[in-house]
Amino acid sequence: MLALGTLEDLPADYREKLTRQNLVPLWPSLRSVLPPGKPALRTQPILWSYQALRPLLLQAGELTPIEKAERRVLVLANPGHGLEKMQASSSIYLGMQLLLPGEWAPAHKHTPNAVRMIVEGEGAYTTVDGEKCPMSRGDLILTPTGLWHEHGHDGKDPVVWLDVLDLPLVYYMEASYVTEGKAQEVSATMNERGYARGGVVPAPVFSRSSDRRYPMLRYAWSDARSALLGLAESQPGIDAVQVAYVNPETGGDCQNILGFSALMLRPGETLKLPARSPAMVFHLIEGGADVEIDRALFNLSPADTCCAPGYTPVTLKNRSSEQPAFVFIADEAPLHKKLGVYEVRA
Ligand code: GTQ
């Protein structure tokens, strides 16, 4: 590829004239905005150890009352983007949130989509659009764009969950904002029970519940886990024991921008994922797994979280030859597919 002219090749007075007119020559920057063959990836493979972050999160509980935080979160930031950007990847934000017994994180709604993957503790709940969603380890709770949500805690021990938002993208779009609200009236709880059996959906004769853009807000881990075990048993030849969190009315991705799935690594299994354009996040729910991303090798213990840049092959390995390992995955695939830039490389 031909070397192009640089800024320094241009006379200083010409450059000043361009600047005064808010003009920029393309050719000195062409190779950096359109690098050959593969994007320049800012996202680095990074591991966030739960054992290392947990004491710091609990300390935040002592240092900062909930009223002074609104959301008491330590952000899992990727140094490749600069920590202050609070990004795990170009479009994924990750945060570990702590709620102590009796605390309440007040109602608001915002344009970015969020999900929560519950990490530890019992007795907390998120109320989303009037639906009370109890939290237990491994449950996935959606708070899609524009829906009111607040968090409460009636239990005895600290509750921690992983927030996954498309905030970096929505912020970049200059479309990120919040609206504060009053405590919601609870009008439903665990609507997802109507979807607990695959293949049948609520269909009352007088109204179709598919009118709701987000019919399912809570995905119980007990259901996802038993679906994975059932899949492994019924289809022993399957490439990957993986289930996607979908909108049960449409079968499509449960949210518009980020995709979510759960993966079971069978005892002794090594799974090679092809290089795909979207960045990915792996959070270990149960078991022990090694994740190889480029030249990085991470040994994940339960509640550890790591991220992989796009266009990079990833190998996941179950460390146990006796027990399955369970991994929660978030990725940018729905975004890439909608925008037409999705790629899988052999
Ligand atoms: O719980 O609503 O990690 O609004 C960041 C922004 C959590 C939340 C985050 C939020 C929330």
Side-chain angles (χ1 to χ4, degrees), residues 43-48 78 88 280-282 293 298 305-309:
T43 302
Q44 296 171 3
I46 297 290
L47 168 72
W48 294 274
N78 194 312
M280 305 181 83
V281 166
F282 304 94
I293 306 162
F298 302 132
T305 306
C306 69
C307 73

Side-chain angles (χ1 to χ4, degrees), residues 7-25:
L7 263 189
E8 291 67 37
D9 293 341
L10 299 169
D13 68 322
Y14 176 71
R15 281 151 58 188
E16 273 158 34
K17 280 181 197 153
L18 290 179
T19 304
R20 244 174 276 132
Q21 300 302 320
N22 296 317
L23 296 170
V24 175

